[in-house]
Amino acid sequence: MTAAQRKWIDVAVIGAGPAGVAAACAARTAGAGRVVVFDRDAEPGGILQQCVHTGFGLHTFGEELTGPEYMHRYIERARRAGVEFEPGAAVFGMEKPESRGDRQSAAFWVSSARRGVERVEAGAVVLAMGCRERPAGALGLAGTRPSGVYTAGSAQRLLNMGGLLPGRRAAVMGTGDIGLIMARRMTLEGASIVGVFEIMPWVSGLRRNVAQCLDDFGIHYHLNSSVRELRGYPALEGAVVEKIGRDGKPIQGSEEFIPCDTLLLAVGLIPENELTRMAGIGINPATNGPVVNDLMQTSCECVFAAGNAVAVYDLADFVSREGERAGRNAAMYAMGRLAKGGRDIAVIPGENVRSASPQIITGTEDIALYLRVSSPIEGKCRLEVSEGLFSADLRCARPGEMNTARLKASDIASLPHYIHSVAVRVKEA
Amino acid sequence: MERMKFLCVSCPFGCFLTAEHEGGKLTGVSGNACPAGERYAAREVSGPVRSFTTTARVDGGMLPRCPVRSRSPLPLSDFFAVKREIDGITLKPPVEIGQTIIKNVLETGVDIIASRSIPS
């Protein structure tokens, strides 16, 4: 293997999904010279290439598109803007950024069949690696380790891009959106869904998906219940499901054996941040993504981040919107023109808020603060960002549905000098 | 008079509606927090329609399947029959995004179109 040095890149984007492509496009539009998107898959588009269902683009394009159509529009737009794509190129290492004069620059390592292993330097980087699904190994399931257990997303890829139906009788563990969508998808392909089991007292996916993926097809879901044990070897023969009590513990004697040949896991998404850690960038424990400010800038000033690598979003439209912000600001940084506003003010998750992003606000631009509540409030409640930055009445607040607080740069910039943090909270009205 | 219960998906709030109808004509609705729920209920009782998506077989392309969708929503009750129609065809690349795959599928007045391109 040779380590060939390559031509300077102004803005390098890692990941060609909805965040990365939008970031690259915005970086070019903002004036960056060379913008290159690296992605390990054979073509750009990211996970949306396997999301054949509709529901993408309502906010951006005013119509409901499938994942591939949504990405097609963004990729075409990016190509027209002069963005270069390098598919089949896996970024496997990232160095701690170095200072060059008054600015930092980034260096990372890429492996591709076409060019071998390379060290790549860039004036700024946008991290847009997306997220991964929580795998079976992280769940502590008892019993055997049979074939037939898939994360919902890997089953989705097998079915939608490979034409392979994973099984005929499937149980779904968890109520993440991809699990709900796969329950419908497999039903349409002739498989039967024997049940969807959710450990929490609420569904973690969007309500729309409960109605249109489960209710429409007569698929039953069970709250406060979870898979405890797998049976069968070498192939899955069934799952033992148990009820969960109010204390969060399994109810003795509630076990039930559910025969099935497939188990789909839809039990959570985790931002992918190996590269982020390698670069020594600070990670927020609540989101599992890098700490970012309102410019989508990480703790390394030449590295920006967007999309599900930062925090898991509900909608691709929001991911693209945040990608645009990251790309534009990365371009400005690379050109030496990034005007950062005032001082850093920390955003602290308060009452009933599990996570909020960005975690630092500087008052440079108007932003959307995205947050998730810890537990659901079914009924009127109030979302507040302290110091009078934002307040709004909500009709309800659910952990599965992100809430947004729109903050004005001028309000942030005019906070008194002794304010170093603001709290965000959601409480019953 | 018939009674149906379903979740309204007009907005993220998601009211649980109870709708009463006679022959698909809405006669009463409860559980809705706003007028959008009534409009949604009227559509649902007259026969729900949804965007239909699946994949079609491709012979000799970069991928063995091509995602397809209905150009406009289809009656939910036609989903499985439309699926069988699509399973009966094999696409030959190149396929262009937006290309009509089946015109007026099962006389529904709705076309099935490709939702991505498959180069040869």
Side-chain angles (χ1 to χ4, degrees), chain A residues 66-80:
Chain A
T66 62
E69 289 169 314
Y70 180 90
M71 285 315 297
H72 178 80
R73 293 196 183 187
Y74 268 99
I75 292 165
E76 288 296 298
R77 194 188 273 182
R79 285 196 208 279
R80 280 198 301 275

Side-chain angles (χ1 to χ4, degrees), chain A residues 42-43 49 52-54 63-69 72 159-164 184-185 187-190 207-212 215-217 378-379 395-396 398 401, chain B residues 6-7 9 11-16 33-34 40 44 48-55 62-69 76 79-80 83 87 97-98 113-117:
Chain A
E43 56 175 353
Q49 294 290 14
V52 305
H53 55 279
T54 57
E63 53 184 314
E64 289 214 41
L65 302 171
T66 62
E69 289 169 314
H72 178 80
L159 182 55
N160 291 348
M161 297 184 80
L164 304 165
R184 170 176 66 183
R185 189 75 190 87
T187 303
L188 193 63
E189 290 292 337
R207 285 226 154 179
R208 178 176 75 184
N209 286 331
V210 175
Q212 300 197 342
D215 295 349
D216 272 0
F217 294 90
E378 292 295 337
R395 295 170 67 183
C396 63
R398 304 187 183 110
E401 285 154 16
Chain B
F6 48 85
L7 204 61
V9 296
C11 82
F13 186 68
C15 292
F16 198 71
C34 79
Y40 184 79
E44 285 295 284
V49 295
R50 304 276 187 267
S51 288
F52 174 88
T53 62
T54 184
T55 65
M62 190 186 96
L63 289 169
R65 309 295 294 193
C66 178
V68 300
R69 71 170 169 103
L76 190 54
F79 268 33
F80 286 91
K83 175 72 168 71
D87 284 346
I97 186 168
I113 61 172
S115 40
R116 68 163 283 168
S117 301

Side-chain angles (χ1 to χ4, degrees), chain A residues 14-367:
Chain A
I14 303 172
V21 177
C25 198
R28 273 289 299 164
T29 309
R34 220 173 144 225
V35 179
V36 183
V37 187
F38 296 86
D39 194 281
R40 60 190 161 210
D41 213 339
E43 56 175 353
I47 222 69
L48 290 196
Q49 294 290 14
Q50 71 185 54
C51 296
V52 305
H53 55 279
T54 57
F56 303 96
L58 202 55
H59 292 255
T60 314
F61 301 111
E63 53 184 314
E64 289 214 41
L65 302 171
T66 62
E69 289 169 314
Y70 180 90
M71 285 315 297
H72 178 80
R73 293 196 183 187
Y74 268 99
I75 292 165
E76 288 296 298
R77 194 188 273 182
R79 285 196 208 279
R80 280 198 301 275
V83 170
E84 294 172 49
F85 285 95
E86 287 215 18
V91 178
F92 65 90
M94 188 148 174
E95 297 175 13
K96 289 197 165 90
E98 274 175 34
S99 290
R100 290 191 177 192
D102 61 339
R103 292 212 290 282
Q104 283 186 346
S105 71
F108 55 91
W109 290 78
V110 186
S111 166
S112 67
R114 214 158 49 84
R115 300 175 60 114
V117 170
E118 293 174 288
R119 182 176 184 273
V120 179
E121 291 188 9
V125 169
V126 178
L127 302 173
M129 292 85 69
C131 59
R132 290 188 187 168
E133 298 172 284
R134 182 164 287 125
L139 303 177
L141 293 169
T144 57
R145 290 292 175 265
S147 64
V149 180
Y150 301 86
T151 59
S154 50
Q156 187 182 44
R157 191 170 182 98
L158 285 172
L159 182 55
N160 291 348
M161 297 184 80
L164 304 165
L165 184 63
R168 295 256 148 219
R169 261 182 86 79
V172 183
M173 180 176 179
T175 50
D177 287 306
I178 313 165
L180 306 180
I181 282 157
M182 278 307 290
R184 170 176 66 183
R185 189 75 190 87
M186 284 184 68
T187 303
L188 193 63
E189 290 292 337
S192 62
I193 304 297
V194 295
V196 177
F197 303 96
E198 171 57 57
I199 194 166
M200 301 304 283
W202 58 79
V203 171
S204 75
L206 301 175
R207 285 226 154 179
R208 178 176 75 184
N209 286 331
V210 175
Q212 300 197 342
C213 298
L214 304 185
D215 295 349
D216 272 0
F217 294 90
I219 300 167
H220 297 288
Y221 65 97
H222 310 272
L223 301 176
N224 303 303
S225 59
S226 191
V227 174
R228 78 165 270 133
E229 184 185 334
L230 305 178
R231 288 195 187 160
Y233 192 84
L236 181 69
E237 286 165 22
V240 178
V241 171
E242 65 190 354
K243 290 261 166 232
I244 307 296
R246 279 166 171 268
D247 57 359
K249 290 180 182 149
I251 297 169
Q252 295 292 317
S254 68
E255 298 87 355
E256 189 190 345
F257 178 73
I258 311 278
C260 57
D261 61 16
T262 307
L263 177 67
L264 300 185
L265 306 175
V267 286
L269 301 169
I270 304 157
E272 180 179 326
N273 281 295
E274 280 80 0
L275 296 172
T276 320
R277 290 190 178 87
M278 278 183 216
I281 290 166
I283 301 279
N284 177 271
T287 55
N288 281 314
V291 173
V292 288
N293 64 18
D294 43 4
L295 304 166
M296 303 309 282
Q297 186 179 34
T298 69
S299 61
C300 287
E301 61 177 44
C302 69
V303 180
F304 296 73
N308 283 356
V310 172
V312 177
Y313 290 79
D314 293 345
L315 298 183
D317 296 64
F318 296 163
V319 162
S320 298
R321 195 179 296 166
E322 296 306 288
E324 279 162 12
R325 224 143 50 73
R328 190 177 64 239
N329 288 319
M332 298 309 270
Y333 184 87
M335 295 186 289
R337 301 212 311 254
L338 185 67
K340 198 171 146 188
R343 62 214 165 80
D344 289 356
I345 294 166
V347 177
I348 311 290
E351 186 181 332
N352 201 18
V353 174
R354 192 176 75 203
S355 63
S357 177
Q359 295 82 28
I360 298 165
I361 51 178
T362 62
T364 310
E365 50 183 291
D366 294 350
I367 57 143

